[in-house]
């Protein structure tokens, strides 16, 4: 694909998943993610893969986890109400360490809310939606092409770290159509799960140096037990204090130990900036436009675009914020990631959140006007 | 003790004293011990019906049919 | 020791957590004997279970085993089967698991007629959580959340499954251990979704509360119920195989669709 193509975010997401090796999709239709399911229903059979429309989102993620346990790369796509229903099984995937990707094309409001309007209001739910301490990775694309690239990355991270990965697209990116160019030298790299090479010497939930146990697939040469109960390294339930804490801690550090591999941000005129904007998803596009215009006016503005939302890019944010006079965090929610930014800023008074919850994008003008007030 | 045709294997460690084998044995092979666990008191009476084996929820019993010829 | 125990049970995890006289142990005993008849390669079998006392069955069986979330076992199993159709799937659920929280997955698995064997261990209660009433607690019986007896009606599980599209349906009591074993074999040989309702017993959280005597007495009572039910009182009280039909099976139909799709060809990636 060298020729520029007019593509949609949801379309790129589905195609990215296929390119990453996904051969199983299970889902339940919901606006604004439905195109993803539709594309899978068309393309997966051609590749000999499986598309399943399940009875609800609970079943969808359950089926995805089941498929992944046989060694297949598996994905589901939904929006807020469906994402809420998936939370219990998301926790199952986290504790049983089953690789899977959940695409959440975010829409506005709690409950049915505004099905066709964009928001970025599931950021905290992606991190803390399921109960209990657990680990998860969440990524947010800012362009249609990035919807492709980050879906590939989401699949890869899920496989490498044996975690559920949430792709947090907002409705703007999901439905946006824009020109996408794939250069001939751009190759999709697929990461594979660490396989169990010798079942005699390794255990299915073993504490390895990198924190990630080797994967034993159903239908392979070695039988094992997978449970959502807290388990020891053999995979069987344990009630021993030490074993319990070991598992919960490992689930945590298998991610925190690999931050340099997982966390991605993009800097745009950050170094010499006096005012830093921290943004993600479609809001980052407005932020970038605002930076360009501010610079034209001679104002030293910069943008730190968060590509990885969870684990939160703590180090990157605090480094970028050094010596800044103000940090603006525009979001299409009442201020979710701003809470995390505030947590790592040396001085909370530096933080200026901009929040829009009317289904409209935060505009460059809004950002510039806030900037004008403080700088 | 006189031997019947069938050999009864019994794992006392696993017995939870539910009493099913005792009640279901048609030949009254079992009695209870002080902990209400089953005891094979009259192995010679075993008819080899294997009801104790099939109903025991804890897999304590195994009847080896025709062991003694 | 009996070879079938050695082969199919994870003996190092026994004794199991179930109470004295619990029906789960009897069902598992019949299951491993059915496995002895079926002679499948253990690596090619997946046992999936839900949450509840019955859900713990997967941990004791030496196959690929998956202990899922409450009510969702069939949905997990559907993903496994669709992704790897050569695997033989057995799904164990409690009555609460299958007919309360998992009711939706149950009817849709029946409707899809996906090739697997589902076994509902119906002990008429939520055993694990201490004996609350389930959709299958007979009207008037006491439960920790029905101190005056339940007022709710029950499902007729086989009738429900048949109406929803399951293609082999049976009801069997744990008293009928040999029939249970035979039906598991038959259900597994059946091409399509087979559902067995196994009438079990929870002597501790159901039996005791309803003055049903010790485990042996409960089993003896079941014998009486089965004997009288056999006398043609209609589906509701019928024991044994109730229904079998040949219908298009999900995986086979899906594979036909793949052939169609591949004829058209041309993936965009
Ligand atoms: C989502 C959810 N809700 C509630 C529970 C608590 N819970 C665990 S087991 C159970 C009921 C089990 O009853 P049943 O399925 O009949 O199985 P049994 O224990 O009788 O074998 C309940 C309500 C849970 N684990 N998950
Ligand atoms: S049936 Fe089994 S557990 Fe119950 S009393 Fe007899 S040997 Fe013990
Ligand atoms: S509570 Fe009931 S169902 Fe659970 S193990 Fe005990 S007897 Fe069995």
């Amino acid at each position: 694909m060298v020729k520029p193509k007019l593509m949609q975010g949801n379309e790129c997401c589905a195609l990215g998943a296929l390119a990453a090796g996904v051969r199983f999709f299970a889902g339940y239709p919901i606006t604004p993610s439905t195109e993803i399911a539709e594309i899978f229903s068309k393309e997966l059979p051609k590749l000999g893969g499986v598309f399943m429309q399940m009875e609800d989102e609970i079943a969808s993620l359950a089926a995805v986890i089941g498929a992944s346990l046989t060694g297949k790369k598996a994905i589901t796509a939904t929006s807020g109400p469906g994402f809420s229903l998936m939370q219990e099984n998301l926790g199952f995937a986290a504790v049983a360490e089953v690789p899977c990707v959940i695409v959440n094309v975010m829409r506005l409001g709690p409950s049915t809310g505004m099905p066709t309007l964009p928001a970025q209001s599931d950021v905290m739910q992606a991190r803390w939606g399921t109960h209990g301490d657990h680990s998860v990775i969440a990524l947010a694309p800012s362009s249609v092409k990035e919807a492709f690239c980050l879906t590939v990355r989401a699949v890869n991270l899920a496989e490498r770290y044996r975690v559920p990965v949430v792709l947090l697209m907002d409705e703007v990116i999901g439905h946006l159509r824009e020109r996408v160019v794939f250069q001939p030298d751009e190759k999709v790299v697929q990461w594979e799960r660490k396989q169990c090479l010798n079942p005699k010497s390794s255990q299915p939930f073993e504490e390895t140096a990198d924190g990630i146990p080797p994967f034993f697939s159903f239908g392979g040469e070695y039988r094992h037990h997978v449970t959502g109960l807290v388990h020891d390294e053999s995979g069987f339930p344990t009630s021993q204090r030490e074993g319990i804490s070991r598992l919960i801690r490992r689930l945590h550090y298998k991610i925190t130990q690999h931050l340099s591999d997982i966390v991605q941000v993009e800097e745009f005129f950050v170094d010499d900036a006096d005012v830093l904007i921290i943004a993600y998803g479609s809001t980052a596009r407005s932020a970038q436009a605002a930076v360009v215009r501010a610079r034209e006016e001679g104002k030293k503005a910069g943008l730190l675009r968060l590509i990885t939302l969870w684990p939160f890019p703590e180090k990157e944010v605090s480094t970028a914020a050094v010596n800044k006079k103000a940090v603006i965090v525009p979001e299409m929610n009442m201020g979710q990631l701003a809470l995390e930014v505030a947590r790592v800023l040396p001085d909370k008074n530096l933080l200026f959140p901009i929040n829009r919850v009317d289904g409209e994008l935060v505009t460059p003008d809004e950002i510039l006007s806030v900037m004008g007030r403080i700088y | 003790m006189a031997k019947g045709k069938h050999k009864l294997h019994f794992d006392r460690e696993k017995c939870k004293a539910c009493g099913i084998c005792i009640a279901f044995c048609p030949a009254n092979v079992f009695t209870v011990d002080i902990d209400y666990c089953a005891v094979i008191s009259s192995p010679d009476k075993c008819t080899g019906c294997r009801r104790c084996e099939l109903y025991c929820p804890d897999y304590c019993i195994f009847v080896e049919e025709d062991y003694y010829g | 020791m009996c070879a079938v125990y050695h082969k199919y049970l994870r003996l190092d995890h026994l004794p199991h957590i179930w109470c004295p006289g619990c029906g789960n142990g009897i069902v598992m005993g019949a299951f491993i004997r059915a496995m002895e008849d079926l002679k499948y390669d253990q690596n090619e079998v997946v046992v999936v279970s839900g949450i509840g006392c019955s859900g713990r069955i997967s941990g004791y069986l030496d196959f690929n085993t998956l202990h899922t979330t409450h009510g969702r076992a069939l949905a997990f199993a559907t993903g496994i089967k669709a992704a790897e159709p050569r695997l033989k799937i057995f799904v164990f659920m409690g009555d609460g698991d299958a007919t309360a929280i998992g009711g939706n997955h149950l009817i849709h698995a029946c409707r899809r007629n996906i090739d697997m064997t589902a076994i509902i261990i119906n002990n008429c209660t939520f055993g694990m959580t201490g004996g609350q009433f389930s959709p299958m607690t007979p009207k008037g019986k006491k439960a920790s959340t029905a101190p005056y007896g339940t007022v709710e009606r029950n499902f007729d599980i086989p009738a429900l499954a048949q109406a929803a599209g399951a293609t082999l349906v049976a009801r069997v009591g744990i008293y009928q251990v040999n029939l249970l074993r035979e039906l598991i074999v038959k259900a597994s040989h059946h091409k399509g979704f087979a559902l067995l309702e196994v009438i079990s017993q929870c002597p501790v959280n159901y039996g005791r509360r309803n003055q049903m005597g010790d485990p042996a007495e409960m089993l003896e009572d079941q014998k009486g119920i089965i004997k009288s039910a056999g006398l043609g009182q209609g589906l509701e009280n019928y024991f044994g195989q109730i229904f079998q039909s040949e219908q298009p099976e999900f995986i086979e139909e899906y594979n036909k669709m793949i052939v169609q799709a591949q004829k058209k060809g041309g993936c965009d990636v």
Side-chain angles (χ1 to χ4, degrees):
Chain A
M1 276 191 233
V2 187
K3 216 169 76 202
K5 273 186 104 175
L6 190 65
M7 294 178 85
Q8 191 198 44
N10 281 345
E11 178 188 7
C12 266
C13 169
L15 298 183
L18 294 173
V22 166
R23 289 298 177 269
F24 188 97
F25 174 93
Y28 188 83
I30 185 167
T31 307
S33 76
T34 307
E35 294 84 2
I36 299 175
E38 288 168 347
I39 293 164
F40 279 122
S41 73
K42 182 159 167 264
E43 302 301 335
L44 273 170
K46 293 189 212 159
L47 296 165
V50 179
F51 166 86
M52 293 210 67
Q53 184 167 310
M54 297 300 288
E55 51 272 22
D56 59 28
E57 288 86 349
I58 302 173
S60 301
L61 186 50
V64 159
I65 294 170
S68 181
L69 283 167
T70 72
K72 299 269 186 319
K73 294 183 182 177
I75 196 168
T76 182
T78 188
S79 186
F83 193 52
S84 293
L85 287 183
M86 285 180 185
Q87 293 303 326
E88 191 194 9
N89 285 338
L90 195 154
F92 183 94
V95 79
E97 301 179 73
V98 188
C100 57
V101 175
I102 300 141
V103 180
N104 176 1
V105 188
M106 290 181 284
R107 62 198 235 180
L108 187 143
S111 187
T112 311
M114 295 295 300
T116 55
L117 292 185
Q120 296 178 311
S121 44
D122 304 345
V123 169
M124 283 295 172
Q125 190 190 17
R127 178 64 191 91
W128 298 113
T130 196
H131 57 281
D133 279 307
H134 61 282
S135 45
V136 27
I137 295 174
L139 314 175
S142 286
S143 70
V144 170
K145 181 169 177 191
E146 204 178 35
F148 182 99
C149 303
L150 283 193
T151 308
V152 172
R153 189 166 162 76
V155 174
N156 282 345
L157 288 168
E159 297 291 317
R160 177 172 287 177
Y161 293 104
R162 292 187 60 176
V163 276
V165 177
V166 182
L167 188 77
L168 280 177
M169 284 214 282
D170 52 64
E171 189 274 345
V172 177
I173 302 299
H175 280 162
L176 185 68
R177 284 183 193 278
E178 65 183 352
R179 220 171 70 109
V180 177
V181 188
F182 288 96
Q183 301 300 340
D185 58 342
E186 283 185 277
K187 289 256 157 11
V188 171
V189 182
Q190 293 187 5
W191 297 353
E192 305 301 332
R193 353 189 144 155
K194 188 201 285 181
Q195 294 294 328
C196 163
L197 299 176
N198 184 3
K200 294 213 169 59
S201 64
S202 60
Q203 299 211 74
F205 293 89
E206 176 169 290
E207 181 126 26
T208 55
D210 63 4
I212 306 144
F215 184 81
F216 292 63
S217 64
F218 281 179
E221 292 157 44
Y222 186 68
R223 303 187 285 280
H224 74 304
H225 185 54
V226 178
T227 175
L229 283 169
V230 168
H231 43 272
D232 61 18
E233 294 180 63
S234 71
F236 289 92
T238 182
S239 48
Q240 295 198 314
R241 293 268 141 75
E242 199 227 350
I244 298 168
S245 136
R246 246 217 330 254
L247 174 73
I248 302 298
R249 286 175 194 285
R250 183 173 60 72
L251 292 181
H252 188 73
Y253 84 66
K254 76 169 178 179
I255 299 302
T256 55
Q257 196 175 277
H258 300 283
L259 292 180
S260 58
D261 189 36
I262 298 169
V263 171
Q264 283 188 331
V265 297
E266 191 182 74
E267 294 190 357
F268 186 65
F269 294 105
V270 166
D271 284 347
D272 70 336
D274 290 327
V275 176
L276 177 70
I277 308 171
I278 297 178
Y280 55 94
S282 58
T283 312
R285 300 165 72 103
S286 300
Q288 183 163 348
V291 169
V292 171
R293 278 169 51 190
R295 290 267 166 184
E296 281 165 10
E297 292 165 21
K299 288 184 177 174
K300 286 188 174 169
L303 165 68
L304 182 72
R305 182 167 76 87
L306 307 186
I307 298 168
T308 310
L309 301 189
W310 303 112
F312 182 69
E314 244 174 78
K315 198 175 86 216
E316 291 72 9
V317 168
S318 53
T319 311
V322 170
N323 293 331
K324 302 294 183 258
K325 298 199 172 76
V327 175
I328 300 175
V329 182
E331 294 180 89
M332 287 191 282
N333 59 40
M334 291 299 289
Q336 297 196 8
L337 216 67
L339 297 170
E340 284 293 300
V341 174
R343 192 168 61 78
V344 301
L345 285 187
D347 177 2
K348 313 272 171 287
N349 293 320
L350 295 178
L351 178 71
F352 294 86
I354 301 175
N355 307 109
R356 252 196 117 140
V357 287
D358 59 354
E360 292 293 331
L361 265 168
V362 178
T363 62
D365 282 341
E366 276 174 275
I367 299 173
L368 285 167
S369 93
V370 170
M371 207 185 289
R373 265 185 273 138
I374 55 185
Y375 172 65
Chain B
M1 208 186 293
K3 286 215 161 79
K5 267 170 77 146
H6 318 291
K7 184 169 176 182
L8 280 156
H9 300 258
F10 179 65
D11 184 350
R12 167 75 165 66
E13 290 284 289
K14 290 216 207 85
C15 178
K16 290 182 185 162
C18 71
I20 290 178
C21 54
I22 303 163
F24 274 65
C25 176
N28 295 320
V29 168
F30 301 90
T31 52
V32 289
D33 69 11
I34 188 164
D35 297 322
Y36 298 98
C37 284
V39 186
I40 302 172
S41 319
S42 320
D44 49 317
K45 290 197 207 149
C46 176
T47 64
C49 75
R50 299 179 68 193
R51 295 180 79 178
C52 53
E53 181 188 321
L54 297 176
Y55 285 119
C56 173
D58 284 86
Y59 322 113
C60 309
I61 314 172
F62 169 51
V63 183
E64 214 170 335
E65 281 174 76
D66 298 324
Y67 181 84
Y68 300 110
Chain C
M1 235 273 214
C2 175
V4 67
Y5 299 159
H6 272 281
K7 190 160 164 61
Y8 297 110
L9 292 175
R10 289 167 169 152
L11 289 174
D12 44 338
H13 293 276
L14 295 181
H16 50 59
I17 62 154
W18 298 318
C19 307
C22 174
N24 289 330
I26 302 178
V27 177
M28 186 157 83
F31 180 75
I32 56 176
R33 290 177 176 92
M35 289 299 111
E36 194 183 22
D37 301 340
L38 285 164
K39 296 190 173 54
Y40 295 144
D41 174 351
Q42 278 153 278
N43 290 348
E44 299 288 298
V45 172
V46 186
V47 175
V48 185
S49 66
I51 296 292
C53 298
S54 47
R56 298 301 283 263
I57 201 167
S58 55
Y60 304 120
L61 289 165
D62 193 4
F63 300 93
N64 299 291
T65 53
L66 177 62
H67 183 213
T68 62
T69 45
H70 191 30
R72 320 298 174 195
L74 283 169
F76 281 81
T78 299
I80 297 171
K81 184 68 185 177
E84 205 56 87
R86 68 161 213 280
L87 298 174
K88 306 279 180 203
I89 316 277
F90 296 88
V91 184
F92 285 93
M93 293 163 285
D95 48 310
D97 222 14
T99 68
I101 192 165
N104 197 30
H105 309 305
L106 175 67
I107 55 174
H108 287 280
C110 293
R111 176 181 63 79
R112 273 186 203 104
N113 194 31
I114 185 164
D115 188 21
M116 58 177 68
T117 299
I119 298 168
I120 300 177
I121 303 182
N122 178 5
N123 58 4
C124 306
T125 190
F126 284 10
M128 176 129 274
T129 41
Q132 297 74 33
F133 69 90
S134 93
M136 299 311 296
T137 306
K139 192 171 173 195
K141 291 287 184 187
K142 293 203 170 97
S144 81
T145 46
Y148 312 109
T150 72
V151 296
E152 294 197 16
R153 300 168 69 209
N154 307 127
F155 282 123
D156 179 339
I157 293 177
L160 174 72
Q162 186 181 341
T167 46
L168 188 151
V169 176
R171 178 189 282 134
V172 53
I174 49 170
Y175 179 76
Q176 302 165 296
V177 270
N178 289 319
L179 179 62
L180 173 56
R181 171 183 181 166
E182 284 163 31
L183 283 170
I184 292 170
V185 172
K186 190 160 183 199
S188 181
H189 284 150
H190 173 76
K191 187 108 204 128
F193 189 79
L195 183 109
L196 310 181
E197 178 191 11
V198 184
I199 308 294
S200 184
Q201 65 186 30
C202 169
V204 173
N205 278 325
Y206 179 71
R208 232 183 248 168
R209 194 170 266 118
N210 287 291
Q211 282 92 40
M212 297 172 81
D214 65 22
E217 283 172 79
M218 286 184 81
L219 207 47
E220 202 58 55
D221 279 355
Q222 187 181 92
K223 175 179 160 186
I225 293 166
I226 292 166
K227 285 258 157 72
S228 57
L231 305 171
Q233 291 168 334
L235 192 67
E236 212 177 313
N237 288 309
Y238 192 90
F239 283 80
Q241 184 182 307
I242 288 167
F243 175 81
Q244 185 173 20
S245 78
E246 249 182 68
Q247 297 288 333
E249 189 271 333
F250 173 79
I251 304 286
E252 285 182 355
E253 295 302 302
Y254 190 87
N255 287 341
K256 284 186 209 158
M257 186 262 285
I258 284 189
V259 174
Q260 287 292 318
Q262 288 179 340
K263 265 192 216 143
K264 292 212 175 96
C267 180
D268 292 358
V269 219

